[in-house]
Amino acid sequence: MRLTEIEKVLFTGRYKLSEKHLEIFRIQSVSMMYSIWEGFIQNSFSIYLEMINKANVDCQLIRDEILIYNIEKTFKQFHQYPSRIGQKITFFNQLGNFFKLNKINIPSGIYTNSNVSFSVLNMLLKSFCLRTFPEHWGIYRHPSPNLLQTLQNFLRYRNAISHGGDITTEEIINQAVYVRYKNLVLDLMYEIYEIMLEGLENRSFLK
């Protein structure tokens, strides 16, 4: 697991790196962790959609939420409506042909805009008719920060570094901070795996 390997490099003293280099890598470690988290989300949902496609489901039986995602993903014109008459005609002809299809074929790419926040994560789950996360989930409850707050803090750490900023002295990324977010990512990964298994077993993508 890459998350554990990063921790070994930065916090166990196994590797002979200068303190200056360790400090640089420690600051970047949360950003690297966030990239792993985002990549997991993209890959997991892509695999889930491939499984729906392999189910060979009739379009009339698929849930409306997934059908809407499929249409908006297939036709970028819904996001930027064409202005020229020729483009409009092409769009409506393609749309008409789409609704004549018998079987669902969902494009697998998931776009997160480099931000898998609590709201984005639940939005993706809702889009594919999967169980969502409550704000107070598992160990992420008050008086400790709840899941919503914890993911917000994770994103704030990541943005402070990735967007060219810096973190304050009160927010130095030591091993305790790293482990906190590593465990968050692992907890979410395992739960999302279970959620997707439930979705496939219960065929929650069907009406």
Side-chain angles (χ1 to χ4, degrees), residues 2 28-42 154 158 162 189:
R2 284 180 291 170
Q28 295 295 330
S29 65
V30 172
S31 181
M32 290 187 287
M33 196 187 314
Y34 204 94
S35 296
I36 293 170
W37 161 236
E38 185 182 3
F40 171 82
I41 290 297
Q42 292 172 336
F154 187 28
R158 176 258 185 189
S162 298
M189 284 178 172

Side-chain angles (χ1 to χ4, degrees), residues 1 14 16 41 45 66 78 93 102 125 144 157-158 169 200 203 205:
M1 172 65 73
R14 294 186 182 185
K16 301 301 180 182
I41 290 297
F45 277 98
I66 299 175
F78 281 110
N93 284 336
N102 294 324
L125 292 168
S144 301
Y157 264 81
R158 176 258 185 189
T169 54
L200 292 172
R203 297 176 72 84
F205 49 86

Side-chain angles (χ1 to χ4, degrees), residues 65-76:
E65 296 91 336
I66 299 175
L67 188 60
I68 289 170
Y69 172 86
N70 192 18
I71 293 170
E72 291 183 340
K73 184 75 174 178
T74 303
F75 298 100
K76 305 302 181 185

